Amino acid sequence: MDRALWTIKRQKAKNDTKDLPPLPRYSGDGHGPALGFSSGKASNELKLRCTVFDENGNVTLVNGEFKKSELIATYGLLPRDLRKIDSSLVPHILIRPSAILINLLHLRCLIKANRVLVFDAYGSTDSYTQSVFMYDLEGKLRQKQSSPQAGGLPYEFRALEAVLISVTSGLETEFEGVREPVVRVLRELEEDIDRDKLRHLLIYSKKLGTFEQKARLVRDSIDDLLDQDDDLAAMYLTEREQGKIRDEDDHTDVEMLLESYHKVCDEIVQASGNLVSNIRNTEEIVKAILDANRNSLMLLDLKFSIGTLGIGGGAFIAALYGMNLKNFLEESDYGFFAISGSSFIFAAIVCGYGLTKLRKLQRVSMWGEQGRKNRGSWRDVDPMPALPGETRMERLKRLKDARHEAMRHAGNVDVEGMEVGLPVVREKK
């Protein structure tokens, strides 16, 4: 419904401006008619397209083309300011003596004390969000400063609030779109580890990392502005137009406005960071499980190799008697059973010895290979048991003194009566 109303208003504004004569070109402070609109395509000077709102919240121009030089001369800007709006992908909130420049996500705006220019974001695919922002901006600008809906905020702060609402709403919507598939894949990985699920998790983790960086940049841009008292005081454009100059520390209204939306952005960043941590933890667990499975396969392969070695040892004995040589056992009634039995016994001995060694290698202990047999768990060993009636502080002091004594003897035995922190080399005469 809101989008349809905004589309009708845009079309109506276009039809109204078709029959109007070209607006005059002048350099002023922003009062009066809109900036010079140039539709000629012969000029090679760079232009920007934007939609203009007047002091009453009405759309006075839709998709108007302005030369950068005209914007710079009219609003007292610098070329680098427009460059940050036109081509920069990093969020910015720039404060100038008579204007506020905003570049946040899909929105690029120039806010004056009685006028708002919303620049078209070329290549943006979020047209619905921009349409909703236009409708919300129009509604907030039509509110009077003394009305309860405006909350006593001047024109420029109402426009700034509309921008921040659109940006935070866009971040929340995008985060929900990224969060749901990530949570679903993590839940599925708890039940079964599959190659396709891991591939999906990789894709979603990249998207989540990109979103977290985007939300972090928006939060940092607001945070940087909150740290600048002079910029906060300069944001009162309406009072500046009226000749009122605020002190650098007198900016409670705009500070509270920015802090509320900074908190929203920080919550989004924290939530996305927690989700990234969950992905990292899941990846570590999956790696540990895969390593355990790999070790099990390697262990199974070793068992088969040991069994093959034992069978080969038994077959070696049988092969010795398979040669066409006289061994004086051809006519024995028990020769076959004796050789077969000895081959099986030898194979069993080889297999048993190999499996025993393998079992010892499987055990992992904090003590290592030496001293494992006579010691229990390393957690149960007390380096210095408490004496009867000894308090905890006395035991700690005794343990500390014993440690210093051991270090003194291990550090340098040639130094007489001195504790040495570093090894000292002394020549013995």
Side-chain angles (χ1 to χ4, degrees), residues 15-293:
N15 296 331
D16 294 341
T17 55
K18 285 182 179 179
D19 300 332
L20 294 177
L23 295 175
R25 182 184 304 174
Y26 74 100
S27 297
D29 56 355
H31 298 285
L35 292 175
F37 171 75
S38 176
S39 60
K41 298 183 180 179
S43 177
N44 293 327
E45 189 174 358
L46 296 177
K47 298 181 180 180
L48 295 176
R49 297 176 58 187
C50 62
T51 301
V52 182
F53 291 85
D54 61 5
E55 58 185 358
N56 297 321
N58 299 320
V59 180
T60 59
L61 191 62
V62 178
N63 293 334
E65 294 186 358
F66 299 97
K67 295 180 180 179
K68 287 188 176 182
S69 59
E70 294 177 354
L71 294 175
I72 292 172
T74 302
Y75 295 103
L77 304 177
L78 299 175
R80 63 173 179 269
D81 298 337
L82 292 181
R83 192 178 301 115
K84 290 182 179 180
I85 288 182
D86 185 26
S87 59
S88 177
L89 300 178
V90 180
H92 291 287
I93 301 179
L94 302 178
I95 310 301
R96 294 296 176 257
S98 61
I100 301 175
L101 287 167
I102 299 176
N103 179 10
L104 295 177
L105 300 183
H106 56 279
L107 298 179
R108 292 168 174 81
C109 305
L110 188 148
I111 301 176
K112 293 275 295 181
N114 59 352
R115 188 181 299 258
V116 176
L117 278 69
V118 181
F119 297 94
D120 291 347
Y122 293 100
S124 176
T125 58
D126 203 355
S127 59
Y128 175 76
T129 305
Q130 291 181 351
S131 300
V132 173
F133 163 71
M134 292 289 190
Y135 185 81
D136 183 61
L137 177 62
E138 184 179 6
K140 286 188 175 297
L141 294 181
R142 287 184 176 180
Q143 299 171 1
K144 300 301 181 181
Q145 184 174 354
S146 58
S147 63
Q149 293 83 4
L153 295 177
Y155 181 87
E156 61 273 14
F157 291 170
R158 280 176 277 149
L160 177 62
E161 185 177 16
V163 173
L164 294 176
I165 289 175
S166 179
V167 170
T168 53
S169 300
L171 288 176
E172 291 175 350
T173 304
E174 187 176 356
F175 177 66
E176 289 298 326
V178 176
R179 173 181 170 274
E180 292 180 359
V182 171
V183 173
R184 185 181 66 253
V185 172
L186 292 178
R187 190 182 299 113
E188 292 176 354
L189 284 174
E190 293 178 358
E191 301 176 356
D192 181 29
I193 299 177
D194 186 56
R195 181 177 180 181
D196 293 336
K197 295 176 184 177
L198 294 176
R199 181 170 57 84
H200 292 160
L201 182 63
L202 175 62
I203 296 173
Y204 294 144
S205 63
K206 291 181 179 179
K207 292 182 180 180
L208 184 61
T210 303
F211 170 79
E212 183 188 14
Q213 182 68 18
K214 183 192 304 183
R216 194 181 300 275
L217 289 174
V218 174
R219 185 197 63 180
D220 293 343
S221 63
I222 300 177
D223 193 14
D224 294 340
L225 181 59
L226 286 171
D227 293 338
Q228 305 296 328
D229 292 335
D230 52 347
D231 287 343
L232 293 177
M235 293 179 69
Y236 290 85
L237 302 179
T238 302
E239 295 185 1
R240 186 180 291 270
E241 291 286 335
Q242 298 173 357
K244 299 179 182 179
I245 304 299
R246 281 181 171 259
D247 296 333
E248 289 188 359
D249 56 349
D250 186 12
H251 45 68
T252 305
D253 295 335
V254 66
E255 186 176 4
M256 293 179 61
L257 176 65
L258 292 173
E259 283 181 350
S260 60
Y261 292 99
H262 176 271
K263 184 177 180 181
V264 176
C265 294
D266 186 65
E267 291 177 353
I268 296 174
V269 171
Q270 295 298 330
S272 60
N274 293 336
L275 199 56
V276 170
S277 299
N278 293 337
I279 293 177
R280 298 292 179 265
N281 295 335
T282 303
E283 290 177 351
E284 294 296 330
I285 294 173
V286 169
K287 289 180 181 178
I289 294 174
L290 294 178
D291 290 340
N293 293 338

